[in-house]
Amino acid sequence: MIVETIKDIVENELTQKCTFIYAPEFEANVLTDTEQSETGWYFIYAPPIEVTDTIGNQREYHTNLPFVALICKYLENPTIDYKEVEIQAYIDQAREIGRNFVHKLSYNALIDSSVENPIQSARYVSIKGSYDSHLFGVELTCDVAIYEGKTGC
């Protein structure tokens, strides 16, 4: 349900069209080489390593999901020779895509409405020439409070 929700936001609600990949970084490296993106933009959602559940008064589970995604533009340049001023625009655009995603996710039905700030902050780390396919953009990390409606029963 979580992956489907994230994929739906990426493919249908973002201002910039991105190719969605759900994979750990090592697998995503291969996929960005083999799956061409129409726009050159990739939204790579890495599976969470750890998820924390809090059990509420009614024995329902409230989940804190550590979210990690790479939002990157594939550049055709076959070398690592690039000028910072040329790639900064891609990094800035990736950060805006990330902000757009966080905004859309924060209003999704998956979000735990019992939490005052379900996404308290988002961190963007610049990515420059990652993988062997020359991806430039940001790594987005944030903790997301979600409610899956599950109980221990």
Side-chain angles (χ1 to χ4, degrees), residues 45-58:
Y45 173 50
I49 295 171
E50 176 181 315
V51 175
T52 304
D53 287 336
T54 303
I55 302 170
N57 293 336
Q58 303 299 315

Side-chain angles (χ1 to χ4, degrees), residues 123-139:
R123 180 174 179 236
Y124 303 91
V125 177
S126 296
I127 295 173
K128 300 174 182 177
S130 291
Y131 306 108
D132 57 355
S133 60
H134 301 284
L135 297 175
F136 294 81
V138 297
E139 177 186 70

Side-chain angles (χ1 to χ4, degrees), residues 16-68:
Q16 171 63 57
K17 176 86 171 134
C18 297
T19 297
F20 178 80
I21 295 176
Y22 174 62
E25 289 185 21
F26 67 88
E27 184 181 346
N29 183 23
V30 174
L31 293 174
T32 56
D33 287 339
T34 58
E35 292 186 22
Q36 293 296 317
S37 171
E38 289 178 24
T39 63
W41 283 98
Y42 290 93
F43 190 104
I44 302 166
Y45 173 50
I49 295 171
E50 176 181 315
V51 175
T52 304
D53 287 336
T54 303
I55 302 170
N57 293 336
Q58 303 299 315
R59 305 292 182 248
E60 74 281 7
Y61 285 90
H62 300 269
T63 302
N64 183 38
L65 176 72
F67 182 85
V68 178

Side-chain angles (χ1 to χ4, degrees), residues 52-98:
T52 304
D53 287 336
T54 303
I55 302 170
N57 293 336
Q58 303 299 315
R59 305 292 182 248
E60 74 281 7
Y61 285 90
H62 300 269
T63 302
N64 183 38
L65 176 72
F67 182 85
V68 178
L70 305 177
I71 305 166
C72 303
K73 174 79 171 172
Y74 176 88
L75 297 183
E76 295 287 335
N77 189 354
T79 71
I80 58 170
D81 299 331
Y82 59 84
K83 294 183 179 165
E84 190 71 24
V85 70
E86 295 170 351
I87 62 158
Q88 189 59 46
Y90 297 116
I91 292 169
D92 292 344
Q93 187 175 359
R95 191 176 300 115
E96 285 304 313
I97 295 167

